[in-house]
């Protein structure tokens, strides 16, 4: 086992007809640098650019990257990181964002995304955060899946629901930009009630500007 691989805290194995898929994480940027990226991991950007983006996230103090690896190639990943500093969610002290999840089209029939989320949420640190995911329909891979926008939303809702995330209504203008966009949230077991209440108030910040002052 390499030194980089030894940094990995948890590993799942999934047996497929085409070999063993290893689900690992959280992984370091150094470990990611030793791996190739499946060229079909291009839903957000070109595979090599996505690899660079994941390395940056993995090296953030609160960043976490979990991967699906077959041999020396990454065929799937999920990321967690602090919210964008320009978003309302960045003003909350306990919000962590599930930034992206992607599995190569060649490996999607083995429920690897669900297992990857299961692995990630075994990490005890998740119980200290309100984990959100903001799903924008223009990022969805409708072409390769053959699903329409509502079928894809239903699939994502079921996927994230498997680890306890639930839909929340909000007046966030980015989410309201399209009716299919969705915010999903998981409240960690160790998150204080006052932080949960603050988050729920922040869901509808247009009702009053005092929330901005409260969160400074």
């Amino acid at each position: 086992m390499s030194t980089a691989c030894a940094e990995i805290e948890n590993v799942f194995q999934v047996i497929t007809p085409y070999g063993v898929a290893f689900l690992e994480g959280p992984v370091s940027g150094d470990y990611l640098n030793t791996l190739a990226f499946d060229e079909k991991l291009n839903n957000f950007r070109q595979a090599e650019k996505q690899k660079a983006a994941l390395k940056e996230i993995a090296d953030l103090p609160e960043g976490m990257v979990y991967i699906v690896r077959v041999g020396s190639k990454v065929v799937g990943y999920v990321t967690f990181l602090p919210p964008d500093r320009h978003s309302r969610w960045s003003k909350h002290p306990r919000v962590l964002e599930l930034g992206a999840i992607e599995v190569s089209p060649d490996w999607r029939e083995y429920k690897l995304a669900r297992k990857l989320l299961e692995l990630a949420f075994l990490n005890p640190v998740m119980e200290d955060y309100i984990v959100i995911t903001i799903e924008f329909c223009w990022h969805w891979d409708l072409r390769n899946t053959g699903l329409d926008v509502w079928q894809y939303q239903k699939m994502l809702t079921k996927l994230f629901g498997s680890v306890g995330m639930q839909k929340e209504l909000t007046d966030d203008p980015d989410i309201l930009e399209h009716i299919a966009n969705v915010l999903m949230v998981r409240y960690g077991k160790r998150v204080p009630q006052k932080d949960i209440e603050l988050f729920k108030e922040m869901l509808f910040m247009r009702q009053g500007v005092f929330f901005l002052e409260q969160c400074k």
Side-chain angles (χ1 to χ4, degrees), residues 15-73:
I15 308 300
T16 80
Y18 303 101
V20 180
F22 294 91
L23 285 68
E24 306 170 329
V27 298
S28 69
D30 287 342
Y31 181 50
L32 288 172
N33 203 40
T34 69
L35 303 174
F37 264 51
D38 190 305
E39 62 182 14
K40 294 183 181 179
L41 290 175
N42 57 13
N43 197 44
F44 299 98
R45 55 179 67 84
Q46 184 184 24
E48 279 303 306
K49 291 182 179 180
Q50 188 64 8
K51 176 181 177 178
L54 264 59
K55 286 168 56 182
E56 290 184 8
I57 292 171
D59 291 334
L60 291 172
E62 293 181 279
M64 291 182 286
V65 176
Y66 291 80
I67 62 170
V68 183
R69 175 180 59 81
V70 178
S72 60
K73 179 181 290 187

Side-chain angles (χ1 to χ4, degrees), residues 179-216:
I179 194 172
N181 294 345
V182 63
L183 169 70
M184 295 193 71
V185 181
R186 180 185 184 274
Y187 300 95
K189 295 176 182 177
R190 291 192 296 270
V191 177
Q193 186 60 33
K194 65 179 179 64
D195 288 328
I196 293 175
E197 291 171 0
L198 174 60
F199 179 82
K200 290 187 175 182
E201 290 172 349
M202 291 174 69
L203 289 170
F204 292 94
M205 291 176 67
R206 287 184 178 182
Q207 294 179 356
V209 297
F210 73 94
F211 295 123
L212 290 171
E213 297 300 323
Q214 183 178 358
C215 298
K216 282 183 179 178

Side-chain angles (χ1 to χ4, degrees), residues 37-187:
F37 264 51
D38 190 305
E39 62 182 14
K40 294 183 181 179
L41 290 175
N42 57 13
N43 197 44
F44 299 98
R45 55 179 67 84
Q46 184 184 24
E48 279 303 306
K49 291 182 179 180
Q50 188 64 8
K51 176 181 177 178
L54 264 59
K55 286 168 56 182
E56 290 184 8
I57 292 171
D59 291 334
L60 291 172
E62 293 181 279
M64 291 182 286
V65 176
Y66 291 80
I67 62 170
V68 183
R69 175 180 59 81
V70 178
S72 60
K73 179 181 290 187
V74 175
V75 300
Y77 62 85
V78 62
T79 68
F80 299 87
L81 70 165
D84 184 281
R85 63 187 181 88
H86 297 297
S87 77
R88 68 175 63 179
W89 317 111
S90 67
K91 299 174 177 66
H92 193 289
R94 287 185 179 266
V95 171
L96 189 68
E97 184 171 352
L98 191 165
I101 185 167
E102 184 178 11
V103 174
S104 169
D106 295 338
W107 292 89
R108 288 181 183 169
E109 61 183 285
Y110 308 112
K111 299 184 178 179
L112 295 173
R114 181 182 292 259
K115 294 180 187 300
L116 200 54
L117 287 174
E118 180 184 346
L119 173 64
F121 281 92
L122 284 176
N123 189 334
V125 75
M126 295 299 194
E127 303 305 334
D128 296 322
Y129 288 98
I130 298 170
V131 180
I132 67 171
T133 183
I134 303 171
E135 294 301 318
F136 297 120
C137 62
W138 45 85
H139 287 159
W140 300 347
D141 191 3
L142 305 180
R143 179 173 57 84
N144 282 315
T145 61
L147 302 176
D148 66 31
V149 68
W150 299 111
Q151 291 170 327
Y152 204 101
Q153 188 204 70
K154 183 177 180 180
M155 180 270 291
L156 284 180
T157 300
K158 185 176 181 181
L159 172 64
F160 295 125
S162 70
V163 288
M165 304 192 81
Q166 58 192 35
K167 285 184 181 180
E168 289 280 13
L169 297 176
T170 180
D171 64 3
D172 184 313
D174 291 333
I175 295 174
L176 294 180
E177 193 169 342
H178 193 286
I179 194 172
N181 294 345
V182 63
L183 169 70
M184 295 193 71
V185 181
R186 180 185 184 274
Y187 300 95

